[in-house]
Amino acid sequence: MLEENIRKVTPYVPGEQPQCKVIKLNTNENPYPPAPGVKEALRNLDTDRLRLYPDPEMKTLISALAEFYGVKKEQVFAGVGSDDVLSMCFLTFFNSGKPILFPDITYSFYKVWADLYRIPYECQPLDENLRIRKEDYEKENGGIIFPNPNAPTSIYEDLSFVEDILKKNRDVIVIVDEAYIDFAGPSAVRLIDTYDNLIVTQTFSKSRSMAGMRIGFAIGNERLIRWLNDVKYSFNSYTLSYPSIVCGTGAVKDRAYFEETTERIIRTRTWVQKELKELGFIFPESSTNFIFAKHPDYSGTDLFEALRNENIYVRHWNDPAIKEYLRISVGTDEEMETFLNVLRAVMKKR
Amino acid sequence: MLEENIRKVTPYVPGEQPQCKVIKLNTNENPYPPAPGVKEALRNLDTDRLRLYPDPEMKTLISALAEFYGVKKEQVFAGVGSDDVLSMCFLTFFNSGKPILFPDITYSFYKVWADLYRIPYECQPLDENLRIRKEDYEKENGGIIFPNPNAPTSIYEDLSFVEDILKKNRDVIVIVDEAYIDFAGPSAVRLIDTYDNLIVTQTFSKSRSMAGMRIGFAIGNERLIRWLNDVKYSFNSYTLSYPSIVCGTGAVKDRAYFEETTERIIRTRTWVQKELKELGFIFPESSTNFIFAKHPDYSGTDLFEALRNENIYVRHWNDPAIKEYLRISVGTDEEMETFLNVLRAVMKKR
């Protein structure tokens, strides 16, 4: 009887927790530690202050982000990872009753939040090169969301592409999910004063090496950010912990470290792509900290399992559309050297 | 046009942020710092580990809680403050379409989550002594939630009262929100093996002095906790940050400090209640870290404002049912001494 009223979901199987030493290239984490300012912020943190609720306005973090991105404080919103920020955006902006649009191959949580908040949606197919077709986003809709670069395809579309979608959709909110933008090209943040229907979201989990801290943020014009805050405060006043606010602030203030580690990952990516190409892999040019690659002569499942047997973890999906692909996070040069050596050995064996 | 599809909420006005030194007795924070183990955990925290996602299963924290409460690990669920835990419980357990029941004077977020997830609800009035009437919870319903002790009334009902409600509602989930239980009597946690429809929630924000860390948890039988985890994982795999998991674990392991500070607050409460009674205040015997008091000769609004003018912040609502009451958090002896002196002076003036 009790069972009848329980929300039905597909039970999650927690990711494998390998007991031995592995090379972990399966969740797009940054191989470099957070900025030195984060360690300092944590060491200096006033533990006694933890007895108090955190600042619900997260003023130090919001100010640091506003300064970093050259926008106003009133144009920045923050949450517990970009998952929390995106979920709050769905709740705030997608209430028309018309279907929202997003790509069919994309971040898997868009469907989950749409279902959760009972927002109708229509998935738009990628083209034969795994690219988003902007014409698909010209039909009537209740809002649009797409990642740029898209995941797991790793493909970045330039700002004129983003602007075309924004221009055709002035009456609905367009969310550009820029989780991987720092490994790509210019951010749509520069368009927020031109398009009052644009929300850009980003995360501290990738380029800022702070997946463990759970910080994400959104930038948009003041009116959109105010609406987002109104909804957030009405449901949950205190989201980010005091240490997250303090350490997030410390991370943003260190621009040089951020730029240096990002550059390093891009250099490693260039080299790994060259090596993979020589091995016969096919992949879109990556604009992210991962490479989305398949091989004409090897099955994705086989390669995934063979690598795992050698303690190298990459990501693989059973979805028929992408089951031949591996998503390989870009680690350090040493990690990628090992990865490539093992990959070569594995390929020789089959 | 854009405005049409935005979720309509009552905009929140952030709490006053006084610039000068004040005595803050308005949010039921603990006046004592977190356990020494928290400081140690934070000092020893491996900052480099922040680059990785936190353990989605929060194993160290869950194990520490299970040990502390003498339950199995599979009977414990954790989230970002009890707000996150309660919201997840609403989503998981209240899906029958029938109205859920909760008191009319209680934690204000129950209505908010019910509205958010479109769960019908019926508020049940308190009796003339501000107590929950258990007969009101015998009608057909889709689930029940009440705080014990209730807030802001501060009244604790004993476990036979809780059991009576559980027995009459074997086919729906009953959530007992024990945010303040450590300042009261026995917890309903001891009933989870007897009643498979019981979920007990608690928080680190009050008795554990960690409001700034955002940790809450639920305890119930294994099947309920599994359902809760299934829903949580389907929406958001990573909720608690790495520092929250580490520091939460450090806090739970120090039972002596927890018991000592809780005892100290209870002693201060006893003394303050005696003083307030001598001043003519009327209040239910408090089982929490706050006192919910009114005075027959002074208006709640007047007292609230007079105290604020003297830099003493207590909580006051404009709800007609409770507008004569002040909710006064129990601070240190020194803070309460000052509070009482100012209160006496304010009362003389009128």
Side-chain angles (χ1 to χ4, degrees):
Chain A
M1 256 305 273
L2 267 183
E3 209 145 359
E4 277 173 29
N5 302 325
I6 306 303
R7 181 173 273 258
K8 302 295 176 302
V9 298
T10 314
Y12 164 93
V13 182
E16 298 167 281
Q17 297 294 342
Q19 296 307 310
C20 52
K21 178 110 180 114
V22 304
I23 294 186
K24 196 167 176 298
L25 307 175
N26 64 345
T27 49
N28 298 342
E29 290 151 332
N30 198 307
Y32 304 109
V38 173
K39 194 169 206 156
E40 205 191 314
L42 213 51
R43 292 291 169 268
N44 295 334
L45 189 134
D46 175 12
T47 321
D48 291 2
R49 172 66 180 74
L50 286 173
R51 72 178 186 84
L52 301 174
Y53 282 96
D55 171 17
E57 298 178 72
M58 306 169 274
K59 283 186 288 289
T60 59
L61 178 63
I62 296 290
S63 298
L65 285 168
E67 197 186 320
F68 189 95
Y69 290 101
V71 300
K72 295 184 213 164
K73 291 194 297 285
E74 294 76 16
Q75 294 175 320
V76 185
F77 173 90
V80 184
S82 58
D83 282 351
D84 179 43
V85 173
L86 287 167
S87 161
M88 204 55 72
C89 286
F90 271 57
L91 191 56
T92 306
F93 298 123
F94 294 158
N95 294 289
S96 73
K98 290 179 200 156
I100 61 166
L101 309 178
F102 50 81
D104 64 343
I105 294 176
T106 196
Y107 188 45
S108 59
F109 275 81
Y110 299 161
K111 271 183 200 174
V112 171
W113 296 315
D115 285 335
L116 171 59
Y117 301 126
R118 301 176 205 186
I119 301 163
Y121 61 88
E122 272 176 23
C123 296
Q124 308 303 309
L126 299 182
D127 74 11
E128 66 283 6
N129 298 315
L130 297 175
R131 293 180 67 168
I132 295 171
R133 295 185 304 196
K134 63 186 175 190
E135 314 80 68
D136 291 342
Y137 298 83
E138 293 177 9
K139 64 187 79 166
E140 200 181 14
N141 66 70
I144 288 169
I145 178 163
F146 62 94
N148 194 33
N150 193 13
T153 67
S154 83
I155 299 171
Y156 170 74
E157 302 294 349
D158 63 22
L159 289 189
S160 69
F161 177 100
V162 176
E163 279 202 82
D164 284 345
I165 291 182
L166 285 164
K167 279 180 195 156
K168 300 274 185 185
N169 291 282
R170 296 307 300 253
D171 290 341
V172 298
I173 304 296
V174 177
I175 303 173
V176 184
D177 173 358
E178 293 191 341
Y180 298 99
I181 193 70
D182 298 318
F183 307 106
S187 161
V189 164
R190 65 176 65 175
L191 302 177
I192 62 160
D193 289 325
T194 314
Y195 298 94
D196 65 358
N197 56 330
L198 169 63
I199 284 276
V200 180
T201 62
Q202 293 193 17
T203 176
F204 278 55
S205 299
K206 313 298 180 190
S207 52
R208 293 188 186 277
S209 299
M210 288 176 79
M213 206 46 132
R214 317 308 305 122
I215 310 176
F217 60 97
I219 299 182
N221 83 63
E222 293 172 64
R223 196 167 61 142
L224 299 190
I225 297 301
R226 196 172 56 240
W227 285 334
L228 207 45
N229 269 317
D230 285 348
V231 170
K232 179 219 135 160
Y233 283 125
S234 78
F235 293 118
N236 192 346
S237 320
Y238 305 105
T239 51
L240 279 194
S241 71
Y242 174 59
S244 293
I245 296 171
V246 167
C247 292
T249 308
V252 177
K253 288 192 168 163
D254 198 337
R255 189 188 284 266
Y257 180 87
F258 163 75
E259 288 174 351
E260 187 208 314
T261 48
T262 305
E263 267 316 306
R264 220 192 290 181
I265 289 165
I266 292 172
R267 277 201 305 274
T268 305
R269 178 181 77 195
T270 306
W271 161 64
V272 175
Q273 287 190 137
K274 188 175 142 284
E275 297 291 327
L276 286 174
K277 205 160 281 168
E278 280 174 19
L279 287 169
F281 280 88
I282 297 166
F283 49 88
E285 178 69 24
S286 168
S287 295
T288 58
N289 68 337
F290 61 85
I291 299 161
F292 189 60
K294 67 176 177 181
H295 198 290
D297 308 330
Y298 297 84
S299 105
T301 312
D302 286 355
L303 284 176
F304 167 72
E305 284 173 0
L307 286 166
R308 198 179 49 183
N309 288 339
E310 302 294 328
N311 294 324
I312 293 184
Y313 285 65
V314 299
R315 188 76 184 268
H316 176 254
W317 290 268
N318 288 320
D319 178 340
I322 55 174
K323 75 179 174 35
E324 296 310 332
Y325 284 87
L326 302 178
R327 192 194 67 184
I328 305 149
S329 305
V330 177
T332 60
D333 282 347
E334 295 69 32
E335 288 173 323
M336 300 320 282
E337 186 79 60
T338 308
F339 159 73
L340 288 166
N341 287 338
V342 171
L343 183 62
R344 285 184 200 105
V346 154
M347 288 169 72
K348 249 183 223 156
K349 269 199 223 152
R350 323 228 129 205
Chain B
M1 254 306 269
L2 267 183
E3 208 145 0
E4 277 172 28
N5 302 326
I6 305 303
R7 180 174 273 258
K8 300 298 175 300
V9 297
T10 314
Y12 164 93
V13 181
E16 297 167 280
Q17 296 294 344
Q19 295 309 310
C20 51
K21 178 110 177 111
V22 302
I23 295 186
K24 196 168 176 298
L25 307 175
N26 65 345
T27 50
N28 298 342
E29 289 151 332
N30 198 307
Y32 304 109
V38 174
K39 192 170 205 154
E40 206 191 312
L42 212 52
R43 291 293 167 269
N44 295 334
L45 190 135
D46 175 12
T47 321
D48 291 3
R49 171 67 181 75
L50 286 173
R51 73 179 185 83
L52 301 175
Y53 282 97
D55 171 17
E57 299 178 73
M58 306 170 273
K59 283 187 287 290
T60 59
L61 178 63
I62 297 290
S63 298
L65 285 168
E67 199 186 319
F68 190 95
Y69 291 100
V71 299
K72 296 184 212 163
K73 291 196 296 286
E74 295 76 15
Q75 294 174 321
V76 185
F77 173 90
V80 184
S82 58
D83 282 351
D84 179 43
V85 173
L86 287 167
S87 162
M88 205 53 75
C89 286
F90 271 57
L91 192 56
T92 306
F93 298 123
F94 294 158
N95 294 288
S96 72
K98 290 178 201 157
I100 61 166
L101 308 179
F102 50 80
D104 63 344
I105 294 177
T106 195
Y107 189 43
S108 59
F109 274 80
Y110 298 161
K111 271 184 200 172
V112 170
W113 296 315
D115 285 335
L116 171 59
Y117 301 126
R118 300 177 208 186
I119 300 162
Y121 61 89
E122 272 176 24
C123 296
Q124 307 303 308
L126 300 182
D127 73 12
E128 67 283 5
N129 297 315
L130 298 175
R131 293 179 67 169
I132 296 172
R133 294 186 306 197
K134 62 185 176 192
E135 313 82 66
D136 291 343
Y137 298 84
E138 293 178 10
K139 64 187 79 167
E140 200 180 15
N141 66 71
I144 288 169
I145 179 163
F146 62 94
N148 194 32
N150 193 14
T153 66
S154 82
I155 299 171
Y156 170 73
E157 302 293 350
D158 63 22
L159 288 189
S160 69
F161 176 102
V162 175
E163 280 202 81
D164 284 345
I165 291 181
L166 286 163
K167 281 179 193 157
K168 301 275 185 181
N169 291 282
R170 296 307 299 253
D171 290 341
V172 298
I173 304 296
V174 177
I175 304 173
V176 184
D177 173 358
E178 293 190 339
Y180 298 98
I181 194 68
D182 299 318
F183 307 106
S187 161
V189 164
R190 65 176 66 175
L191 304 176
I192 62 161
D193 289 325
T194 315
Y195 298 94
D196 65 357
N197 56 329
L198 170 64
I199 283 277
V200 180
T201 62
Q202 294 192 18
T203 176
F204 278 55
S205 299
K206 314 296 180 189
S207 52
R208 293 188 187 277
S209 299
M210 288 176 78
M213 206 46 133
R214 317 307 306 124
I215 310 176
F217 59 97
I219 299 183
N221 82 64
E222 293 172 64
R223 194 167 63 141
L224 298 190
I225 296 300
R226 195 172 59 241
W227 284 334
L228 207 45
N229 269 316
D230 285 349
V231 170
K232 179 217 133 158
Y233 284 125
S234 78
F235 293 117
N236 192 347
S237 321
Y238 305 105
T239 51
L240 280 193
S241 71
Y242 174 59
S244 292
I245 296 170
V246 168
C247 293
T249 308
V252 176
K253 289 192 168 163
D254 198 338
R255 188 187 284 264
Y257 180 88
F258 162 75
E259 288 175 350
E260 186 208 315
T261 49
T262 304
E263 268 314 307
R264 218 192 292 182
I265 288 165
I266 291 173
R267 276 201 306 274
T268 305
R269 179 182 77 195
T270 305
W271 162 64
V272 174
Q273 288 191 135
K274 188 175 142 285
E275 298 290 328
L276 286 174
K277 205 161 283 168
E278 280 175 18
L279 286 170
F281 279 89
I282 297 167
F283 49 89
E285 180 68 26
S286 168
S287 293
T288 58
N289 68 337
F290 59 85
I291 300 161
F292 189 59
K294 68 176 176 181
H295 198 290
D297 307 330
Y298 297 84
S299 105
T301 313
D302 286 355
L303 284 176
F304 168 72
E305 284 174 359
L307 286 166
R308 197 179 52 185
N309 287 340
E310 301 295 326
N311 293 324
I312 294 185
Y313 284 65
V314 298
R315 189 75 185 271
H316 177 254
W317 289 269
N318 287 320
D319 178 341
I322 54 173
K323 76 178 172 37
E324 296 310 333
Y325 284 87
L326 302 178
R327 192 193 68 185
I328 306 150
S329 306
V330 176
T332 61
D333 283 346
E334 295 68 33
E335 287 173 324
M336 299 321 280
E337 185 80 59
T338 308
F339 159 72
L340 287 166
N341 286 338
V342 170
L343 183 61
R344 285 185 201 106
V346 153
M347 289 168 72
K348 250 185 221 153
K349 267 199 224 153
R350 322 227 132 207

